[in-house]
Amino acid sequence: DAKTTQPPSMDCAEGRAANLPCNHSTISGNEYVYWYRQIHSQGPQYIIHGLKNNETNEMASLIITEDRKSSTLILPHATLRDTAVYYCIVRAPPVAGGGNKLTFGTGTQLKVEL
Amino acid sequence: KAGVTQTPRYLIKTRGQQVTLSCSPISGHRSVSWYQQTPGQGLQFLFEYFSETQRNKGNFPGRFSGRQFSNSRSEMNVSTLELGDSALYLCASSLGSRESEQFFGPGTRLTVL
């Protein structure tokens, strides 16, 4: 699985959009970009994933650059409850005989403040 | 739909002992993965079971083992505990298909004294 680089920490004002960047310059053609977050001492929570196109769900939007070497997770209206460590993960899809291994990096600690 | 459950939530053991942790996946999920989280090493993949077979394994010593039952419930065992095994052990379940996301349980906090 490709390696990812994220800033160690970011701050965001409540109600504003939080834009979390991720660099994955060695990503391969069949590798997906996944985002998870972990609120203190809880299990990680799935947010969103994508391959090439931008994706949006009820939690966030994922913008992947055309060359796929970087992506941005956008939380449109951050709240205090969005304070967490956000992990960007790149992984190949499970193929026959393969698996669901996720390789977590150090992530970005997002702090949402009043 | 009930989420992933892990038991026990907290555990204290002494060096040299062994421990068994349990994970019940979301109903219908066939894949169960285990992760170890420590302040120094972060979140690290231990192994994954799918339909009672281990199909992926991380870089952990043989003291760490697991199994999965026919109802998809999984257990992991750590023998001859060391101080460094103190960690949060997380279980994640998924359908196991191509893009399926993983749903994590709350974890078991293991302290080795």
Side-chain angles (χ1 to χ4, degrees), chain A:
Chain A
D1 295 339
K3 182 178 169 60
T4 61
T5 303
Q6 299 177 253
S9 64
M10 293 183 66
D11 294 331
C12 178
E14 189 176 36
R16 305 297 294 271
N19 297 286
L20 293 95
C22 178
N23 181 286
H24 32 79
S25 57
T26 60
I27 192 170
S28 299
N30 68 342
E31 289 182 316
Y32 287 76
V33 179
Y34 281 75
W35 284 83
Y36 282 77
R37 73 179 182 184
Q38 187 175 26
I39 296 169
H40 184 63
S41 293
Q42 297 181 21
Q45 176 190 23
Y46 166 82
I47 301 173
I48 198 168
H49 75 279
L51 182 63
K52 298 181 188 178
N53 302 317
N54 299 336
E55 302 287 345
T56 295
N57 63 19
E58 64 279 3
M59 286 183 69
S61 294
L62 173 60
I63 309 296
I64 302 174
T65 58
E66 194 168 338
D67 63 7
R68 304 210 322 123
K69 294 184 182 222
S70 66
S71 60
T72 301
L73 178 75
I74 301 172
L75 307 177
H77 306 287
T79 71
L80 298 178
R81 288 177 295 181
D82 292 321
T83 293
V85 178
Y86 287 76
Y87 296 98
C88 169
I89 298 166
V90 171
R91 74 171 181 102
V95 297
N100 272 319
K101 174 184 176 181
L102 293 175
T103 301
F104 287 84
T106 52
T108 296
Q109 172 67 63
L110 174 68
K111 187 175 179 183
V112 182
E113 300 171 306
L114 292 171

Side-chain angles (χ1 to χ4, degrees), chain A residues 34 36 91-101, chain B residues 1 25-33 48-53 55-56 68 72 92-103:
Chain A
Y34 281 75
Y36 282 77
R91 74 171 181 102
V95 297
N100 272 319
K101 174 184 176 181
Chain B
K1 206 178 209 183
I26 292 171
S27 177
H29 284 191
R30 297 167 64 192
S31 166
V32 174
S33 298
E48 181 205 1
Y49 287 86
F50 181 80
S51 294
E52 301 179 65
T53 301
R55 72 172 177 180
N56 216 338
Q68 186 180 34
S72 292
S93 80
S94 74
L95 289 169
S97 59
R98 186 175 175 83
E99 295 178 42
S100 56
E101 62 264 32
Q102 295 188 44
F103 296 84

Side-chain angles (χ1 to χ4, degrees), chain B residues 12-32:
Chain B
I12 298 176
K13 291 285 189 179
T14 57
R15 277 184 301 173
Q17 287 187 309
Q18 76 164 20
V19 67
T20 299
L21 311 181
S22 180
C23 172
S24 292
I26 292 171
S27 177
H29 284 191
R30 297 167 64 192
S31 166
V32 174

Side-chain angles (χ1 to χ4, degrees), chain B residues 58-77:
Chain B
N59 288 329
F60 278 82
R63 300 185 297 107
F64 293 82
S65 62
R67 59 178 176 169
Q68 186 180 34
F69 303 95
S70 58
N71 62 358
S72 292
R73 191 177 70 84
S74 177
E75 289 181 347
M76 69 161 282
N77 185 277

